[in-house]
């Protein structure tokens, strides 16, 4: 009988240790989420200035293309401009995924696969934000986001 009691105590102690690790992991992830949210809030006010600067650059290119009568070049520049400036969608999705991560972390339970999926989505949005960026600070913020997401991904891979 004493051996059974020792086994139960060992299992109980191990379970309490896992609980503590889970709390630390949750805290780690929530800190990274907060850092990404801060980066998003820093990016948003930069967008109008970046758009205005890019519009001016585009206007110069279009003037040259129009002087040459190059309608195809004008269409290409307009298409490029439209794809470059639209980062609102990426920022919205980043925020949505971060809110979902918090919800999943608070809910608890078996969350590994769900969090892993959210890491993929966060990385995709941060990567697209960086590739569409026409501003050095937005590009820097995108890189920082990707580093934070990678840190979270490494920790999440330790979950069940």
């Amino acid at each position: 009988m004493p051996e059974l009691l020792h086994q139960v105590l060992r299992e109980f102690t191990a379970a309490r240790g896992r609980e503590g690790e889970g709390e630390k992991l949750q805290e780690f992830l929530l800190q990274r989420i907060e850092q990404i949210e801060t980066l998003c809030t820093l990016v948003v006010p930069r967008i109008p200035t970046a758009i205005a600067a890019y519009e001016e650059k585009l206007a110069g290119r279009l003037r040259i293309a129009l002087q040459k009568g190059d309608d195809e070049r004008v269409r290409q520049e307009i298409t490029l401009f439209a794809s470059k400036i639209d980062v609102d969608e990426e920022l919205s999705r980043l925020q949505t995924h971060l809110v979902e991560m918090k919800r999943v972390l608070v809910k608890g339970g078996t969350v590994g696969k769900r969090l892993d999926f959210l890491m993929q989505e966060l990385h995709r949005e941060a990567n697209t934000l960086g590739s569409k960026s026409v501003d050095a600070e937005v590009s820097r913020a995108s890189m920082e986001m990707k580093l934070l997401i990678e840190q979270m991904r490494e920790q999440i891979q330790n979950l069940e």
Side-chain angles (χ1 to χ4, degrees):
M1 193 68 154
E3 181 54 39
L4 181 60
L5 179 61
H6 287 289
Q7 181 181 352
V8 168
L9 287 174
R10 281 193 301 271
E11 288 176 15
F12 177 74
T13 302
R16 298 257 335 227
R18 285 190 302 272
E19 263 181 39
E21 289 172 13
E23 289 171 8
K24 289 178 187 174
L25 178 59
Q26 181 182 27
E27 183 180 320
F28 173 87
L29 295 172
L30 289 171
Q31 287 172 351
R32 297 314 181 277
I33 290 169
E34 186 177 308
Q35 289 174 307
I36 294 171
E37 288 173 333
T38 299
L39 288 168
C40 285
T41 60
L42 294 173
V43 164
V44 171
R46 296 194 61 83
I47 301 301
T49 305
I51 290 172
Y54 195 77
E55 280 177 350
E56 192 168 316
K57 183 178 177 180
L58 177 64
R61 288 181 180 172
L62 290 176
R63 281 196 252 357
I64 292 168
L66 288 171
Q67 287 172 355
K68 294 179 181 179
D70 190 352
D71 290 340
E72 181 59 29
R73 179 69 180 163
V74 171
R75 277 193 290 280
Q76 288 174 351
E77 289 294 339
I78 290 170
T79 302
L80 178 63
F81 176 69
S83 69
K84 281 282 190 184
I85 63 167
D86 188 17
V87 295
D88 287 340
E89 188 174 335
E90 284 74 19
L91 291 169
S92 271
R93 285 183 185 159
L94 277 166
Q95 290 293 343
T96 300
H97 296 321
L98 294 171
V99 167
E100 178 64 8
M101 275 196 68
K102 287 180 192 176
R103 188 193 69 74
V104 169
L105 288 169
V106 168
K107 179 182 172 189
T110 306
V111 298
K113 286 185 180 185
R114 179 72 182 146
L115 290 176
D116 190 47
F117 170 75
L118 287 167
M119 289 301 99
Q120 291 173 22
E121 294 301 306
L122 284 169
H123 190 268
R124 179 178 299 127
E125 299 307 331
N127 197 46
T128 304
L129 176 67
S131 69
K132 286 185 169 185
S133 174
V134 293
D135 179 77
E137 280 302 308
V138 174
S139 295
R140 185 193 61 74
S142 168
M143 289 300 296
E144 283 187 43
M145 287 178 197
K146 290 194 293 187
L147 289 171
L148 292 166
I149 293 164
E150 189 56 37
Q151 289 173 0
M152 289 191 293
R153 178 181 278 155
E154 287 176 13
Q155 293 300 314
I156 289 170
Q157 288 176 348
N158 296 326
L159 295 175
E160 294 177 17

